[in-house]
Amino acid sequence: MSAHDVSADLPPVPPSIEAPDSFIRQALLAAIVESSDDAIVSKTLQGRILSWNAGASRIFGYTAAEAIGQPITMIIPPELLAEEQRILDQVRRGQRIEHFDTIRIAKDGRRIPISLAVSPVRDSNGTIVGASKVARDISDRKAAEQALRESAERLRASEEALRDADRRKDEFLALLAHELRNPLAPIRYTLAANRKSGRTPEQRKRAEEIIERQVAHMSRLLDDLLDVSRITRSTLELKKSPTELTSVIGSAIETARPVLDSKRHNLSLDLPKHAVRLEVDPVRLSQVFSNLLINAAKYTDPGGHIQLRAAREGSDIVVTIRDNGIGISADMMPRLFAMFSQAQAALGRSEGGLGIGLSLVRGLVTLHGGSVEARSDGPGCGSEFTVRLPARTPPEEPADIDEGADAPVAGAGMKILVVDDNRDAADTCAALLELSGHHVQTAYTGRHAFELAESFRPHAVLMDIGLPDFDGYQLAAKVRAAPWGRAIILIAVTGWGQEEDRRRAFDAGCDHHLTKPIAAETVEALLLSLQPASRGIK
């Protein structure tokens, strides 16, 4: 805006009075200073405020009457007083200070980021007599810069997470290939050896055992992968039923027993004296404890000590598994339950695996409404895993459900009915169970099975689903509908293993669902978990 433009807006000067150019310039300067959004302040060389415009009042909160005559340090943070002294020293030397960022304090105590420019003020003789400063509030700019920095940091973190995910994916695929190749090698060698002439029956027996172990190992890998995938996609459903805690623990110990025995570990138990009943999925909860026991066994030197303790604490059931193994480092602890995580120091001690066991444990415990945590005093100091489950007491069974078979007596074996239209399958399964001390009868049709169940009153029925007259679902429904059949344990045995097949079996009244081919150890472990004797496993 030119001086001519401003004078056009000023009141007309009386003809008798001559308006000098200096008056116009001063009026223009005063108008500019007063209307500025920035704080425009002048001060003496000793830092005493001489002028204070409306912009300064708006930014710092002091009126001109409150500020003029006061030291400029009233708006300077204590830690920046030396900065103010340097500014005055530069002004005395005639130097201008072009925009630099600093902090000033408002009347209400707020710390305000500002951009500051300072110029010397000279008198008519050119002597420096003070300083003029222009301060601009840059709070919005600083906030935008901070938001930009945070956004950039989040972007960097996201990129790093993606790189880490890619790295872990590549490591996992390499590990998966390694773990799947490992069992294939002995299987190939064994098959090649069996083709050679002169093999003794003992050599062939050992070869079969090798193949069986390696196939079981590959099966466990694939089962864990499928379970983790189902949990991740929220498609894994629990099949809850009234369950006694010790039976779940007994089943878990039987699953982990081969690893415990192979490393000559001593397992000690501290279980509740009174029965603890929960509303849980017994198969999945047993999987939790067996994974923790196997994990402890893997990372403990041979001849180690593993302790399993179960107790009720308030409204929780707490199961703790402690070992005197290699321990857990502080840097590993935060990612212990992450997918595909294995401590590098532990890889040489483990017996292989994909590093998803603990992730699977956490997923299954969470589905049960519980929590799992780990603690360790560091490498070489052992580990402790604690599972907490809500102690939700299931409703009492109706009094008339005991009209069926008598409860199995500890150590006396069970009465078991095996139902399968494949006679070889039924007869060999029955022979195996009899060798284990059970009392067994067999049926090859659904109709005959129902008639035997009514007279035999078995404790458990192992039944095939595909039967020639009516299927296993119908058989289960008929048994459940009979007064004597409400307490019988129904175990579906089928080649159909999809989630829909499991759901259909449970809807029909089955307590358990096993997918063919089934290892004999699986059947025996399940039946053992159903016996009272299993509660005292040591």
Side-chain angles (χ1 to χ4, degrees):
M1 182 181 292
S2 66
H4 176 75
D5 294 331
V6 173
S7 62
D9 295 331
L10 296 175
V13 180
S16 60
I17 299 176
E18 187 72 24
D21 290 342
S22 61
F23 174 80
I24 296 174
R25 286 197 298 271
Q26 288 174 4
L28 173 63
L29 180 60
I32 292 173
V33 169
E34 194 60 26
S35 62
S36 174
D37 288 333
D38 296 333
I40 301 177
V41 178
S42 64
K43 59 186 177 183
T44 67
L45 292 178
Q46 290 71 42
R48 189 73 59 180
I49 298 172
L50 295 173
S51 64
W52 186 269
N53 76 333
S57 296
R58 182 183 60 80
I59 293 174
F60 299 115
Y62 294 100
T63 65
E66 291 174 316
I68 293 174
Q70 299 299 318
I72 195 66
T73 53
M74 66 187 286
I75 61 170
I76 298 177
E79 70 273 14
L80 296 181
L81 291 177
E83 176 187 274
E84 175 63 14
Q85 190 57 50
R86 287 194 299 272
I87 290 174
L88 289 174
D89 290 342
Q90 288 179 263
V91 169
R92 291 189 184 96
R93 293 193 295 270
Q95 297 175 355
R96 292 174 57 87
I97 300 172
E98 298 295 342
H99 307 279
F100 77 96
D101 295 348
T102 185
I103 299 292
R104 292 295 181 259
I105 298 178
K107 182 179 181 179
D108 59 9
R110 288 179 298 112
R111 295 172 69 88
I112 304 172
I114 65 168
S115 176
L116 189 63
V118 185
S119 301
V121 174
R122 303 174 186 271
D123 62 11
S124 57
N125 298 320
T127 302
I128 297 173
V129 295
S132 173
K133 61 193 300 181
V134 178
R136 173 164 294 175
D137 185 347
I138 56 173
S139 298
D140 291 344
R141 192 190 86 191
K142 288 294 184 181
E145 290 174 352
Q146 179 63 25
L148 186 60
R149 282 193 297 271
E150 291 175 355
S151 177
E153 184 60 33
R154 285 194 297 270
L155 180 60
R156 282 193 295 270
S158 177
E159 290 173 346
E160 179 61 29
L162 288 174
R163 285 193 295 270
D164 183 61
D166 284 341
R167 176 183 58 78
R168 291 175 61 195
K169 178 196 69 176
D170 293 341
E171 290 176 354
F172 168 68
L173 290 176
L175 179 61
L176 176 60
H178 173 268
E179 288 294 327
L180 290 177
R181 287 192 187 104
N182 271 350
L184 289 176
I187 290 174
R188 282 182 171 179
Y189 295 149
T190 302
L191 291 173
N194 273 351
R195 293 191 188 101
K196 296 184 179 296
S197 59
R199 298 280 287 174
T200 66
E202 183 62 29
Q203 288 173 324
R204 290 186 179 278
K205 181 175 182 296
R206 283 200 301 269
E208 291 173 358
E209 291 172 351
I210 290 172
I211 293 174
E212 186 175 3
R213 282 197 301 270
Q214 300 308 318
V215 169
H217 176 65
M218 294 180 73
S219 179
R220 282 196 301 272
L221 292 178
L222 294 175
D223 285 344
D224 281 355
L225 274 175
L226 290 173
D227 285 343
V228 169
S229 174
R230 293 186 187 111
I231 291 174
T232 302
R233 293 182 288 111
S234 300
T235 59
L236 190 147
E237 295 183 7
L238 299 180
K239 303 302 179 184
K240 293 184 177 182
S241 62
T243 306
E244 191 171 351
L245 178 64
T246 51
S247 70
V248 173
I249 292 175
S251 177
I253 292 173
E254 287 304 310
T255 301
R257 179 63 70 187
V259 181
L260 295 168
D261 290 346
S262 68
K263 300 193 72 172
R264 306 185 308 281
H265 291 318
N266 174 39
L267 174 64
S268 63
L269 299 180
D270 182 4
L271 302 178
K273 294 180 179 179
H274 303 289
V276 176
R277 291 174 64 79
L278 301 169
E279 189 78 15
V280 296
D281 185 327
V283 175
R284 293 304 186 180
L285 195 56
S286 174
Q287 190 177 3
V288 166
F289 298 136
S290 64
N291 274 13
L292 291 176
L293 286 169
I294 292 171
N295 189 75
K298 282 183 176 182
Y299 298 116
T300 299
D301 287 333
H305 181 72
I306 298 172
Q307 181 188 43
L308 188 152
R309 178 182 180 273
R312 182 159 189 158
E313 295 182 7
S315 60
D316 291 336
I317 300 299
V318 180
V319 179
T320 302
I321 296 175
R322 181 184 296 118
D323 63 65
N324 61 342
I326 65 173
I328 306 168
S329 63
D331 64 322
M332 182 62 191
M333 192 66 76
R335 51 194 175 91
L336 191 64
F337 292 97
M339 289 277 286
F340 319 131
S341 292
Q342 291 191 58
Q344 292 299 315
L347 290 178
R349 305 284 196 103
S350 74
E351 283 69 46
L354 299 176
I356 60 179
L358 293 181
S359 176
L360 183 57
V361 165
R362 182 179 61 179
L364 292 174
V365 171
T366 301
L367 285 177
H368 278 89
S371 65
V372 58
E373 61 181 10
R375 63 178 302 276
S376 173
D377 292 332
C381 298
S383 308
E384 180 179 285
F385 289 83
T386 301
V387 174
R388 289 183 175 273
L389 297 166
R392 296 171 183 159
T393 304
E396 292 295 328
E397 298 288 349
D400 61 351
I401 65 170
D402 59 353
E403 296 178 18
D406 295 333
V409 179
M414 299 175 68
K415 294 163 64 177
I416 300 172
L417 174 61
V418 177
V419 186
D420 200 319
D421 62 330
N422 184 322
R423 291 175 175 262
D424 288 341
D427 294 344
T428 53
C429 180
L432 175 68
L433 294 175
E434 286 174 344
L435 289 173
S436 298
H438 300 293
H439 310 286
V440 187
Q441 291 196 17
T442 57
Y444 311 121
T445 67
R447 190 178 310 280
H448 184 213
F450 183 77
E451 293 171 354
L452 269 180
E454 187 173 14
S455 59
F456 182 46
R457 301 292 177 90
H459 300 121
V461 178
L462 278 166
M463 58 183 183
D464 185 28
I465 295 299
L467 298 173
D469 43 5
F470 49 82
D471 61 32
Y473 304 127
Q474 294 170 303
L475 174 59
K478 284 174 66 67
V479 170
R480 282 286 180 254
W484 47 264
R486 298 175 193 172
I488 294 177
I489 299 164
L490 301 181
I491 304 170
V493 179
T494 174
W496 302 99
Q498 298 300 313
E499 195 62 33
E500 178 61 31
D501 303 310
R502 291 172 54 84
R503 185 180 301 108
R504 188 177 177 189
F506 290 121
D507 289 345
C510 293
D511 300 289
H512 302 276
H513 181 280
L514 301 179
T515 305
K516 295 180 179 180
I518 305 162
E521 294 82 0
T522 301
V523 175
E524 291 180 340
L526 175 57
L527 294 175
L528 179 65
S529 72
L530 303 174
Q531 288 184 275
S534 67
R535 302 172 191 170
I537 293 176
K538 297 293 183 184

